[in-house]
Amino acid sequence: MKKTLATLLALFIVLPACAMNISKKMEDSTVLVHMKIHRDEDNKTGWGTCSGVYLKKNIILSAAHCVDYSADEKIQLKEIWVKKGNQSEKAVIVKVDAAADLLLLYTPLEGTPVKLAHKVTRGEDCWVIGNPLGIIDILTKGIVSKINLKDKGEKATFIIVDAVCLPGNSGGAVVDKRGHLIGILTRSTSLLGGLGASGLGLAVDLRTIREFLKS
């Protein structure tokens, strides 16, 4: 009995510490991505919000749909800004693949690069770091619920995570317990309104990310 209680107590100590380590490790690796958008239809300018993660000290990986408005000729992308802590700088597009929903940005604002994980396993713990609803630097935890998801007509392969994901998390990092990247968020079931379930997110998987970086 004493041994069981000691084991349970150890688990309660280790789990929060793990979350704290992930948070601290990712603090300098993630950014808020702001898109300045002009709508010709009503002649108004506004801002969109996404997330991103550093792959190199000046290169950020995010989701292509954050900056790709080619499907709507009435919307123009005017500027891209990234914010890390209290610092903000403009960013420019280095590479974009709308079919894989991946994007590379260059910014003079430096950050700490993350490493790509070697693999991802169904059932493993994962953490999502991003800016849901424009709230900066939010960390949520879940598990990898499904891997190797491939929809007909999709270029990317996905993983599904049950960590809470909301609009604004797009382009954000999904990491494993070592803080290594296992996916880039692309969609959330919360976008389905009453039919959706807040807490399920689709992320572009490692294989698709590696192919994007190589090509």
Side-chain angles (χ1 to χ4, degrees), residues 85-132:
N86 295 320
Q87 297 177 293
S88 295
E89 290 283 355
K90 277 189 177 181
V92 294
I93 297 172
V94 175
K95 183 179 180 180
V96 62
D97 187 340
D101 200 16
L102 290 173
L103 162 76
L104 288 180
L105 297 171
Y106 170 84
T107 175
L109 185 62
E110 296 183 359
T112 302
V114 297
K115 295 180 180 179
L116 296 186
H118 294 297
K119 64 177 182 178
V120 59
T121 305
R122 182 180 181 184
E124 73 173 285
D125 289 338
C126 65
W127 286 260
V128 170
I129 305 96
N131 308 283

Short mmCIF file of all heavy atoms in Angstrom, two decimals, residues 85-132:
data_model
loop_
_atom_site.label_atom_id
_atom_site.label_comp_id
_atom_site.label_asym_id
_atom_site.label_seq_id
_atom_site.Cartn_x
_atom_site.Cartn_y
_atom_site.Cartn_z
N GLY A 85 7.25 37.48 -27.20
CA GLY A 85 7.36 38.29 -25.99
C GLY A 85 6.87 39.70 -26.26
O GLY A 85 5.77 39.91 -26.78
N ASN A 86 7.73 40.69 -25.96
CA ASN A 86 7.38 42.09 -26.20
C ASN A 86 7.96 42.62 -27.51
O ASN A 86 7.86 43.81 -27.80
CB ASN A 86 7.86 42.96 -25.04
CG ASN A 86 7.16 42.64 -23.74
OD1 ASN A 86 5.95 42.39 -23.74
ND2 ASN A 86 7.90 42.61 -22.64
N GLN A 87 8.58 41.74 -28.29
CA GLN A 87 9.23 42.15 -29.53
C GLN A 87 8.37 41.79 -30.74
O GLN A 87 7.77 40.73 -30.79
CB GLN A 87 10.60 41.49 -29.66
CG GLN A 87 11.59 41.88 -28.58
CD GLN A 87 12.90 41.13 -28.75
OE1 GLN A 87 12.97 39.91 -28.58
NE2 GLN A 87 13.94 41.85 -29.11
N SER A 88 8.36 42.68 -31.73
CA SER A 88 7.64 42.44 -32.98
C SER A 88 8.51 42.86 -34.16
O SER A 88 9.22 43.86 -34.09
CB SER A 88 6.33 43.24 -33.02
OG SER A 88 5.44 42.79 -32.03
N GLU A 89 8.46 42.09 -35.24
CA GLU A 89 9.19 42.41 -36.46
C GLU A 89 8.38 41.92 -37.66
O GLU A 89 7.59 40.98 -37.54
CB GLU A 89 10.57 41.73 -36.49
CG GLU A 89 11.57 42.28 -35.50
CD GLU A 89 12.19 43.61 -35.93
OE1 GLU A 89 11.88 44.06 -37.06
OE2 GLU A 89 12.97 44.18 -35.14
N LYS A 90 8.61 42.56 -38.80
CA LYS A 90 7.98 42.10 -40.02
C LYS A 90 8.59 40.77 -40.45
O LYS A 90 9.72 40.44 -40.10
CB LYS A 90 8.16 43.13 -41.15
CG LYS A 90 7.15 44.25 -41.13
CD LYS A 90 7.28 45.09 -42.39
CE LYS A 90 6.22 46.19 -42.42
NZ LYS A 90 6.31 46.99 -43.66
N ALA A 91 7.81 40.02 -41.24
CA ALA A 91 8.29 38.75 -41.79
C ALA A 91 7.95 38.70 -43.28
O ALA A 91 7.03 39.38 -43.73
CB ALA A 91 7.64 37.57 -41.06
N VAL A 92 8.73 37.92 -44.01
CA VAL A 92 8.47 37.73 -45.44
C VAL A 92 8.38 36.24 -45.73
O VAL A 92 8.98 35.42 -45.03
CB VAL A 92 9.56 38.38 -46.32
CG1 VAL A 92 9.55 39.88 -46.17
CG2 VAL A 92 10.94 37.81 -45.99
N ILE A 93 7.62 35.90 -46.75
CA ILE A 93 7.44 34.50 -47.12
C ILE A 93 8.69 33.97 -47.84
O ILE A 93 9.16 34.58 -48.80
CB ILE A 93 6.21 34.33 -48.02
CG1 ILE A 93 4.94 34.73 -47.25
CG2 ILE A 93 6.09 32.90 -48.53
CD1 ILE A 93 3.69 34.79 -48.11
N VAL A 94 9.21 32.87 -47.36
CA VAL A 94 10.34 32.20 -48.00
C VAL A 94 9.84 31.09 -48.92
O VAL A 94 10.31 30.92 -50.04
CB VAL A 94 11.30 31.60 -46.94
CG1 VAL A 94 12.41 30.79 -47.60
CG2 VAL A 94 11.86 32.69 -46.05
N LYS A 95 8.88 30.34 -48.42
CA LYS A 95 8.37 29.19 -49.18
C LYS A 95 6.97 28.87 -48.70
O LYS A 95 6.69 28.97 -47.49
CB LYS A 95 9.29 27.99 -48.95
CG LYS A 95 8.92 26.74 -49.73
CD LYS A 95 9.94 25.64 -49.42
CE LYS A 95 9.62 24.37 -50.18
NZ LYS A 95 10.59 23.30 -49.88
N VAL A 96 6.10 28.51 -49.61
CA VAL A 96 4.73 28.16 -49.24
C VAL A 96 4.24 27.00 -50.11
O VAL A 96 4.53 26.95 -51.29
CB VAL A 96 3.79 29.39 -49.35
CG1 VAL A 96 3.73 29.89 -50.77
CG2 VAL A 96 2.40 29.06 -48.83
N ASP A 97 3.55 26.06 -49.49
CA ASP A 97 2.93 24.94 -50.20
C ASP A 97 1.50 24.82 -49.69
O ASP A 97 1.24 24.24 -48.64
CB ASP A 97 3.71 23.65 -49.95
CG ASP A 97 3.20 22.48 -50.79
OD1 ASP A 97 2.05 22.55 -51.26
OD2 ASP A 97 3.95 21.50 -50.97
N ALA A 98 0.59 25.40 -50.45
CA ALA A 98 -0.82 25.42 -50.03
C ALA A 98 -1.40 24.01 -49.94
O ALA A 98 -2.24 23.72 -49.09
CB ALA A 98 -1.64 26.27 -51.00
N ALA A 99 -0.95 23.11 -50.83
CA ALA A 99 -1.49 21.75 -50.85
C ALA A 99 -1.10 20.97 -49.59
O ALA A 99 -1.84 20.11 -49.12
CB ALA A 99 -1.01 21.01 -52.09
N ALA A 100 0.08 21.28 -49.04
CA ALA A 100 0.52 20.63 -47.81
C ALA A 100 0.21 21.48 -46.58
O ALA A 100 0.40 21.05 -45.45
CB ALA A 100 2.03 20.36 -47.86
N ASP A 101 -0.29 22.69 -46.81
CA ASP A 101 -0.60 23.67 -45.77
C ASP A 101 0.61 23.95 -44.87
O ASP A 101 0.50 23.97 -43.64
CB ASP A 101 -1.80 23.24 -44.92
CG ASP A 101 -2.43 24.43 -44.18
OD1 ASP A 101 -2.13 25.57 -44.56
OD2 ASP A 101 -3.20 24.21 -43.24
N LEU A 102 1.75 24.21 -45.53
CA LEU A 102 2.97 24.54 -44.79
C LEU A 102 3.59 25.81 -45.35
O LEU A 102 3.49 26.09 -46.55
CB LEU A 102 3.96 23.38 -44.83
CG LEU A 102 3.57 22.13 -44.04
CD1 LEU A 102 4.55 20.99 -44.31
CD2 LEU A 102 3.48 22.42 -42.54
N LEU A 103 4.28 26.53 -44.49
CA LEU A 103 4.81 27.84 -44.82
C LEU A 103 6.11 28.09 -44.07
O LEU A 103 6.24 27.70 -42.90
CB LEU A 103 3.77 28.90 -44.39
CG LEU A 103 4.22 30.35 -44.22
CD1 LEU A 103 4.40 31.00 -45.59
CD2 LEU A 103 3.19 31.14 -43.40
N LEU A 104 7.07 28.71 -44.76
CA LEU A 104 8.29 29.18 -44.12
C LEU A 104 8.35 30.70 -44.21
O LEU A 104 8.11 31.27 -45.28
CB LEU A 104 9.53 28.58 -44.78
CG LEU A 104 9.83 27.10 -44.54
CD1 LEU A 104 11.10 26.70 -45.28
CD2 LEU A 104 9.99 26.80 -43.05
N LEU A 105 8.65 31.34 -43.08
CA LEU A 105 8.80 32.79 -43.02
C LEU A 105 10.20 33.14 -42.57
O LEU A 105 10.81 32.45 -41.75
CB LEU A 105 7.80 33.38 -42.02
CG LEU A 105 6.31 33.22 -42.29
CD1 LEU A 105 5.52 33.69 -41.07
CD2 LEU A 105 5.91 34.03 -43.53
N TYR A 106 10.71 34.28 -43.10
CA TYR A 106 11.96 34.83 -42.59
C TYR A 106 11.64 36.08 -41.78
O TYR A 106 10.84 36.91 -42.19
CB TYR A 106 12.92 35.21 -43.71
CG TYR A 106 14.10 36.01 -43.18
CD1 TYR A 106 15.20 35.38 -42.64
CD2 TYR A 106 14.07 37.42 -43.19
CE1 TYR A 106 16.26 36.11 -42.12
CE2 TYR A 106 15.12 38.15 -42.68
CZ TYR A 106 16.22 37.49 -42.14
OH TYR A 106 17.24 38.23 -41.61
N THR A 107 12.28 36.24 -40.63
CA THR A 107 12.15 37.44 -39.83
C THR A 107 13.48 37.77 -39.19
O THR A 107 14.24 36.87 -38.83
CB THR A 107 11.08 37.25 -38.72
OG1 THR A 107 11.07 38.41 -37.87
CG2 THR A 107 11.39 36.03 -37.87
N PRO A 108 13.81 39.06 -39.04
CA PRO A 108 15.03 39.42 -38.32
C PRO A 108 14.95 39.15 -36.83
O PRO A 108 15.96 39.16 -36.13
CB PRO A 108 15.17 40.93 -38.61
CG PRO A 108 13.79 41.39 -38.96
CD PRO A 108 13.14 40.23 -39.63
N LEU A 109 13.74 38.87 -36.33
CA LEU A 109 13.54 38.55 -34.92
C LEU A 109 13.98 37.11 -34.67
O LEU A 109 13.39 36.17 -35.19
CB LEU A 109 12.07 38.74 -34.56
CG LEU A 109 11.66 38.56 -33.09
CD1 LEU A 109 12.35 39.60 -32.22
CD2 LEU A 109 10.15 38.66 -32.95
N GLU A 110 15.03 36.94 -33.89
CA GLU A 110 15.61 35.61 -33.70
C GLU A 110 14.91 34.82 -32.60
O GLU A 110 14.38 35.38 -31.64
CB GLU A 110 17.11 35.74 -33.36
CG GLU A 110 17.94 36.34 -34.48
CD GLU A 110 19.41 36.39 -34.14
OE1 GLU A 110 19.78 35.97 -33.02
OE2 GLU A 110 20.20 36.84 -34.99
N GLY A 111 14.92 33.49 -32.77
CA GLY A 111 14.35 32.60 -31.77
C GLY A 111 15.16 31.32 -31.67
O GLY A 111 16.12 31.11 -32.42
N THR A 112 14.79 30.46 -30.76
CA THR A 112 15.49 29.19 -30.55
C THR A 112 14.85 28.10 -31.40
O THR A 112 13.66 27.81 -31.22
CB THR A 112 15.43 28.78 -29.06
OG1 THR A 112 16.02 29.81 -28.27
CG2 THR A 112 16.17 27.47 -28.84
N PRO A 113 15.60 27.49 -32.31
CA PRO A 113 15.02 26.46 -33.18
C PRO A 113 14.61 25.21 -32.41
O PRO A 113 15.26 24.83 -31.43
CB PRO A 113 16.16 26.14 -34.16
CG PRO A 113 17.11 27.28 -34.05
CD PRO A 113 16.99 27.78 -32.64
N VAL A 114 13.54 24.57 -32.87
CA VAL A 114 13.15 23.27 -32.32
C VAL A 114 13.73 22.17 -33.21
O VAL A 114 14.04 22.39 -34.37
CB VAL A 114 11.61 23.11 -32.24
CG1 VAL A 114 11.02 24.12 -31.30
CG2 VAL A 114 10.98 23.19 -33.62
N LYS A 115 13.84 20.99 -32.64
CA LYS A 115 14.28 19.82 -33.41
C LYS A 115 13.07 19.03 -33.86
O LYS A 115 12.04 19.02 -33.19
CB LYS A 115 15.18 18.93 -32.56
CG LYS A 115 16.50 19.58 -32.15
CD LYS A 115 17.32 18.61 -31.30
CE LYS A 115 18.65 19.24 -30.89
NZ LYS A 115 19.45 18.31 -30.04
N LEU A 116 13.22 18.36 -34.99
CA LEU A 116 12.17 17.44 -35.43
C LEU A 116 12.31 16.12 -34.69
O LEU A 116 13.42 15.61 -34.51
CB LEU A 116 12.26 17.19 -36.94
CG LEU A 116 12.05 18.37 -37.88
CD1 LEU A 116 12.04 17.89 -39.32
CD2 LEU A 116 10.78 19.13 -37.57
N ALA A 117 11.20 15.56 -34.24
CA ALA A 117 11.23 14.26 -33.59
C ALA A 117 11.59 13.19 -34.63
O ALA A 117 11.44 13.39 -35.83
CB ALA A 117 9.87 13.95 -32.97
N HIS A 118 12.06 12.05 -34.16
CA HIS A 118 12.38 10.94 -35.06
C HIS A 118 11.11 10.24 -35.53
O HIS A 118 11.00 9.80 -36.67
CB HIS A 118 13.31 9.94 -34.37
CG HIS A 118 14.67 10.48 -34.08
ND1 HIS A 118 15.54 10.88 -35.07
CD2 HIS A 118 15.30 10.72 -32.90
CE1 HIS A 118 16.66 11.32 -34.53
NE2 HIS A 118 16.54 11.23 -33.21
N LYS A 119 10.13 10.14 -34.63
CA LYS A 119 8.88 9.46 -34.98
C LYS A 119 7.80 9.91 -34.02
O LYS A 119 8.06 10.56 -33.00
CB LYS A 119 9.06 7.94 -34.92
CG LYS A 119 9.36 7.40 -33.53
CD LYS A 119 9.45 5.88 -33.55
CE LYS A 119 9.70 5.34 -32.13
NZ LYS A 119 9.73 3.86 -32.11
N VAL A 120 6.57 9.54 -34.33
CA VAL A 120 5.44 9.81 -33.45
C VAL A 120 4.65 8.52 -33.28
O VAL A 120 4.50 7.73 -34.22
CB VAL A 120 4.54 10.94 -34.03
CG1 VAL A 120 4.02 10.57 -35.40
CG2 VAL A 120 3.38 11.25 -33.09
N THR A 121 4.17 8.29 -32.06
CA THR A 121 3.47 7.05 -31.74
C THR A 121 2.07 7.35 -31.22
O THR A 121 1.89 8.26 -30.40
CB THR A 121 4.24 6.27 -30.65
OG1 THR A 121 5.59 6.06 -31.09
CG2 THR A 121 3.57 4.92 -30.38
N ARG A 122 1.10 6.60 -31.70
CA ARG A 122 -0.26 6.76 -31.21
C ARG A 122 -0.31 6.50 -29.71
O ARG A 122 0.24 5.51 -29.22
CB ARG A 122 -1.18 5.81 -31.95
CG ARG A 122 -2.64 5.95 -31.54
CD ARG A 122 -3.51 4.99 -32.31
NE ARG A 122 -4.91 5.14 -31.92
CZ ARG A 122 -5.89 4.37 -32.39
NH1 ARG A 122 -5.62 3.42 -33.25
NH2 ARG A 122 -7.12 4.57 -31.99
N GLY A 123 -0.98 7.42 -28.98
CA GLY A 123 -1.11 7.27 -27.54
C GLY A 123 -0.08 8.03 -26.74
O GLY A 123 -0.23 8.17 -25.52
N GLU A 124 0.96 8.53 -27.39
CA GLU A 124 1.97 9.27 -26.64
C GLU A 124 1.46 10.66 -26.24
O GLU A 124 0.59 11.24 -26.89
CB GLU A 124 3.28 9.39 -27.43
CG GLU A 124 3.25 10.36 -28.60
CD GLU A 124 4.63 10.55 -29.22
OE1 GLU A 124 5.45 11.25 -28.60
OE2 GLU A 124 4.87 10.00 -30.32
N ASP A 125 2.02 11.20 -25.17
CA ASP A 125 1.65 12.53 -24.72
C ASP A 125 2.15 13.57 -25.71
O ASP A 125 3.20 13.41 -26.35
CB ASP A 125 2.28 12.83 -23.35
CG ASP A 125 1.62 12.04 -22.23
OD1 ASP A 125 0.47 11.60 -22.40
OD2 ASP A 125 2.28 11.85 -21.18
N CYS A 126 1.38 14.65 -25.83
CA CYS A 126 1.79 15.74 -26.71
C CYS A 126 1.35 17.07 -26.12
O CYS A 126 0.44 17.12 -25.28
CB CYS A 126 1.23 15.57 -28.13
SG CYS A 126 -0.57 15.67 -28.22
N TRP A 127 2.01 18.13 -26.54
CA TRP A 127 1.68 19.47 -26.09
C TRP A 127 1.51 20.37 -27.30
O TRP A 127 2.25 20.26 -28.28
CB TRP A 127 2.79 20.03 -25.20
CG TRP A 127 2.82 19.45 -23.82
CD1 TRP A 127 2.33 19.98 -22.68
CD2 TRP A 127 3.40 18.19 -23.44
NE1 TRP A 127 2.54 19.15 -21.60
CE2 TRP A 127 3.21 18.04 -22.04
CE3 TRP A 127 4.06 17.17 -24.13
CZ2 TRP A 127 3.65 16.94 -21.34
CZ3 TRP A 127 4.51 16.07 -23.43
CH2 TRP A 127 4.29 15.95 -22.06
N VAL A 128 0.52 21.25 -27.23
CA VAL A 128 0.26 22.22 -28.30
C VAL A 128 0.58 23.61 -27.76
O VAL A 128 0.09 23.99 -26.68
CB VAL A 128 -1.22 22.15 -28.75
CG1 VAL A 128 -1.55 23.32 -29.69
CG2 VAL A 128 -1.49 20.82 -29.44
N ILE A 129 1.40 24.35 -28.49
CA ILE A 129 1.78 25.70 -28.07
C ILE A 129 1.37 26.66 -29.17
O ILE A 129 1.77 26.50 -30.34
CB ILE A 129 3.29 25.83 -27.81
CG1 ILE A 129 3.74 24.79 -26.78
CG2 ILE A 129 3.62 27.23 -27.30
CD1 ILE A 129 4.32 23.56 -27.37
N GLY A 130 0.55 27.64 -28.82
CA GLY A 130 0.11 28.59 -29.84
C GLY A 130 -0.65 29.75 -29.23
O GLY A 130 -0.51 30.06 -28.04
N ASN A 131 -1.47 30.37 -30.08
CA ASN A 131 -2.15 31.60 -29.69
C ASN A 131 -3.65 31.52 -30.00
O ASN A 131 -4.16 32.26 -30.84
CB ASN A 131 -1.52 32.79 -30.41
CG ASN A 131 -0.01 32.82 -30.23
OD1 ASN A 131 0.49 33.20 -29.20
ND2 ASN A 131 0.72 32.37 -31.26
N PRO A 132 -4.38 30.59 -29.36
CA PRO A 132 -5.81 30.42 -29.66
C PRO A 132 -6.59 31.68 -29.34
O PRO A 132 -6.41 32.29 -28.28
CB PRO A 132 -6.22 29.26 -28.75
CG PRO A 132 -5.23 29.28 -27.64
CD PRO A 132 -3.95 29.72 -28.25
#
